[in-house]
Amino acid sequence: MHEYTSTARVWGLTCPGFPEEVSRARRWTRDILRGSPLAEDAELIVSELSANAILHTASGREAGSFHLALAVSLQVVALSVTDGGGAGTAPKVEYQDQEAEHGRGLGMVSAIAHRVVVHDSDGGHTVTAELFTDVRRGGHPC
């Protein structure tokens, strides 16, 4: 492959901010990644990020929505969820104690993903989780 040629494929889906849309987002992810060894991890990540968008931002309010993007290349599967904003603070990874009832989701996502990035904008937040396809045990991707 030429170094400036990309074989990445990108899909997008916009969902209304209803709780039942989380299962739709999981199914959509599973269908795209069918046969991939990363499919189950990706499905779990999308479920958590979609639920967070609905529960903690304007995405879950009347007429709210959230957007998913899934990019697949030979090196990485990148999953992004963009919420409707209005949360007051950006999502952040927190590590809670065993007694905590909330705040574990992004910590779980960061434990599964190889990298998690949060982008803020006036219209909301985008959380992107990346799963690298060829990380050897104990190694790091370049």
Side-chain angles (χ1 to χ4, degrees):
M1 173 179 13
H2 189 273
E3 68 180 297
Y4 298 110
T5 305
S6 172
T7 59
R9 299 204 49 204
V10 180
W11 291 263
L13 176 69
T14 299
C15 298
F18 302 124
E20 57 270 18
E21 292 297 314
V22 174
S23 63
R24 178 179 174 208
R26 280 194 312 261
R27 196 170 44 254
W28 178 79
T29 302
R30 185 175 53 242
D31 288 347
I32 292 170
L33 295 176
R34 187 173 314 279
S36 168
L38 300 174
E40 288 183 10
D41 287 345
E43 187 179 347
L44 181 61
I45 290 169
V46 163
S47 179
E48 182 60 36
L49 296 180
S50 298
N52 283 352
I54 292 169
L55 291 172
H56 302 298
T57 73
S59 293
R61 297 186 196 130
E62 187 174 333
S65 64
F66 61 97
H67 182 77
L68 294 106
L70 175 56
V72 179
S73 74
L74 294 175
Q75 298 81 22
V76 67
V77 171
L79 310 142
S80 298
V81 175
T82 302
D83 64 40
T89 60
K92 62 182 177 284
V93 176
E94 297 179 335
Y95 298 97
Q96 303 291 341
D97 64 24
Q98 292 181 351
E99 304 301 317
E101 295 182 17
H102 301 286
R104 292 185 176 147
L106 278 180
M108 178 186 64
V109 168
S110 71
I112 296 169
H114 294 102
R115 181 168 47 190
V116 176
V117 179
V118 178
H119 295 280
D120 299 328
S121 74
D122 293 336
H125 307 95
T126 299
V127 180
T128 301
E130 297 176 346
L131 298 166
F132 300 120
T133 59
D134 188 27
V135 177
R136 290 171 182 78
R137 235 176 244 287
H140 296 287
C142 359

